[in-house]
Amino acid sequence: MNPQRQPPARGVRRGYAVAGAVLAFMWLGEANEPAWAHAVRAALLLLLIPPVLLRTNRSLTAAFHESAHPRRVLARLIAARILIVSVALVASALLGRVMDPGGGNDLRALGIRELCILLTIPLQIRAAHRARAAGAHPSSRPTLSAPRVICAKLGLIAAALLLQMAIDPYVAEAQVYIAAAIAVTVTVLGPRLHAKLLIAPTPGATEQRSPARATT
């Protein structure tokens, strides 16, 4: 396979390390929240975010690479990412309120999650400009398949739920240990399974190049 069609191995490992941290953070809830509630929250986010986010990200990233004036498109891309994830987090918080009406820290936890999302903006800007400077059009590279990503992550959540239910009677703060296990599992196994989560680029798109590359 053409090396230009695959992201650098270091970038893949870094991406799965970040994904592992995000999934672990998603798993954590109220200290007294049962394991099934963690699983329901995480599953809701996994069902809401990947289908919308991957498609939107693919479309706006292509527009960013093709635009002669990319700043405005990049702003739309980052705003769309933040909006999609934020809406999913709000839905998760509302679901948590329904499952546990007496929970008092949902708003604080939601605020912390939103702050973490906003802190990624400089990293997103840097990564976008580096990718554009590389010149290869996004449509020429394999992309993540939303159904495959959802299935893989739901399998992970199911395993985490079963494990936490097994250790809950014996371990205090079991959800913290399970969150750490999720982070380690995704970081270690994600890069090894990455190729199985990809779909091939659209035929005929491999010859496209961004204006940044075409003018060099």
Side-chain angles (χ1 to χ4, degrees):
M1 182 177 289
N2 189 337
Q4 290 183 346
R5 294 187 182 182
Q6 291 184 323
R10 182 180 300 177
V12 171
R13 291 194 298 269
R14 186 184 300 119
Y16 279 99
V18 172
V22 170
L23 285 171
F25 195 55
M26 285 165 48
W27 183 262
L28 293 173
E30 303 296 333
N32 59 347
E33 191 176 54
W36 66 267
H38 298 323
V40 170
R41 283 175 180 267
L44 175 69
L45 291 175
L46 294 180
L47 291 172
L48 288 178
I49 294 178
V52 180
L53 183 59
L54 289 176
R55 178 173 296 187
T56 303
N57 188 69
R58 188 180 305 126
S59 174
L60 290 178
T61 299
F64 171 69
H65 277 251
E66 295 164 3
S67 176
H69 305 284
R71 291 185 178 179
R72 185 173 300 177
V73 182
L74 180 58
R76 288 173 53 205
L77 171 60
I78 294 175
R81 289 171 176 168
I82 292 175
L83 178 62
I84 291 168
V85 176
S86 297
V87 169
L89 289 175
V90 170
S92 175
L94 291 175
L95 179 61
R97 181 68 68 176
V98 171
M99 293 187 298
D100 182 18
N105 296 325
D106 281 344
L107 291 179
R108 184 175 65 183
L110 177 62
I112 293 174
R113 289 177 170 87
E114 293 290 349
L115 178 60
C116 290
I117 295 172
L118 295 177
L119 290 176
T120 67
I121 291 177
L123 297 177
Q124 293 187 58
I125 294 173
R126 180 170 177 264
H129 283 294
R130 290 182 65 180
R132 191 174 193 268
H137 194 278
S139 62
S140 69
R141 301 191 298 266
T143 57
L144 288 170
S145 165
R148 296 178 190 177
V149 170
I150 290 173
C151 289
K153 291 183 177 179
L154 287 180
L156 177 67
I157 295 304
L161 172 60
L162 293 175
L163 182 57
Q164 181 165 332
M165 291 174 65
I167 69 173
D168 252 337
Y170 314 103
V171 179
E173 303 293 341
Q175 75 273 14
V176 176
Y177 293 97
I178 299 302
I182 289 173
V184 171
T185 300
V186 174
T187 300
V188 173
L189 295 183
R192 300 181 183 181
L193 300 175
H194 180 68
K196 298 183 182 298
L197 302 178
L198 297 174
I199 54 177
T202 303
T206 56
E207 299 300 322
Q208 291 182 281
R209 292 294 184 269
S210 69
R213 185 75 172 190
T215 57
T216 58

